[in-house]
Amino acid sequence: MPRILEPRHRPSSLLVAPAALLLTAFLVPGLLILAGQGEPAFNGVDTQWQALIFTLHSPFWDQVNAFLNWLGYVGVLILEVLLVAVLLLWRRPKMALFSALAALIALGVTQLAKAVVGRDRPEGAKVLTDTGSYPSGHVSATAVFLMTLVLLTGKLWFKLLAIAGILVMMASRTYLSAHWLSDVLGGACVGVGVTLLLWVPFMKICIQENLSAVTSPMWQARASRRQPAEGQPE
């Protein structure tokens, strides 16, 4: 049976550099929007994208994106809790801690940025919205969850699936007029950036934890305890 969890070692520079670039790409637009007193700082590109995505509206895609709206908020929260629970069940508490911390830190950074930047959302949103528009919380949460799975599984195919999942959520948030294009880009940057940066101190201990759990699986330990000691009568 193939292993599900195979976190791989990467040089810290290959994690820190992309994380720093992504977080910078998240901070700079936020500062530009803030300097513009909440008005869209990239109005041309943002409004052109909104006009393009509006041409795709149909009852079918409305239903699909209504589901994605639920999935990117309540759904991701449920999946995060299940992931932590499964990792604990599989005796990988450090991986569980990494998963929980990545989600909580990204959530905190996202909500803080929303409150500080205070960007107005596009008009005519098809779903209920709460706080500021920049960055997208749905995209940030989705990016954290999928990037966490990429790092823990170490599978190339899952990396491709994660990229597709993030892009789908980005398109969905603009389709629903809940966010500008720059909002969803910022959400993806903060989600992936936080996860990569947190993986730097967790990488070695998670890899070691996984190796230890693989070499002594729980079912094998229980089976050995049930077997009578060699040379002893049953």
Side-chain angles (χ1 to χ4, degrees), residues 25-34 36 38-50 117 119 134 180-186:
F26 153 70
L27 286 171
V28 170
L31 292 173
L32 291 175
I33 297 168
L34 185 61
E39 294 297 324
F42 323 99
N43 189 61
V45 175
D46 282 338
T47 54
Q48 286 177 18
W49 176 261
Q50 287 300 115
V117 175
R119 188 182 196 183
Y134 186 88
W180 303 100
L181 177 61
S182 49
D183 297 337
V184 297
L185 289 171

Side-chain angles (χ1 to χ4, degrees), residues 58-169:
S58 71
F60 171 76
W61 289 118
D62 287 350
Q63 292 296 319
V64 170
N65 284 280
F67 170 73
L68 290 172
N69 178 61
W70 175 87
L71 182 62
Y73 185 59
V74 178
V76 168
L77 176 61
I78 294 172
L79 291 173
E80 284 283 2
V81 172
L82 287 176
L83 175 60
V84 171
V86 168
L87 289 172
L88 291 174
L89 183 64
W90 286 353
R91 299 186 302 133
R92 289 165 173 84
K94 295 181 179 66
M95 286 187 177
L97 178 61
F98 164 72
S99 302
L101 280 179
L104 290 173
I105 292 172
L107 175 63
V109 173
T110 299
Q111 293 303 316
L112 178 62
K114 283 175 175 288
V116 172
V117 175
R119 188 182 196 183
D120 294 332
R121 293 177 184 263
E123 295 182 1
K126 292 179 172 288
V127 291
L128 293 176
T129 55
D130 46 15
T131 53
S133 187
Y134 186 88
S136 168
H138 280 65
V139 174
S140 173
T142 300
V144 170
F145 177 72
L146 293 177
M147 194 63 203
T148 297
L149 290 179
V150 168
L151 294 172
L152 295 184
T153 60
K155 303 289 192 298
L156 175 60
W157 66 267
F158 202 94
K159 184 184 296 186
L160 300 176
L161 182 63
I163 293 172
I166 294 171
L167 290 175
V168 166
M169 187 57 67

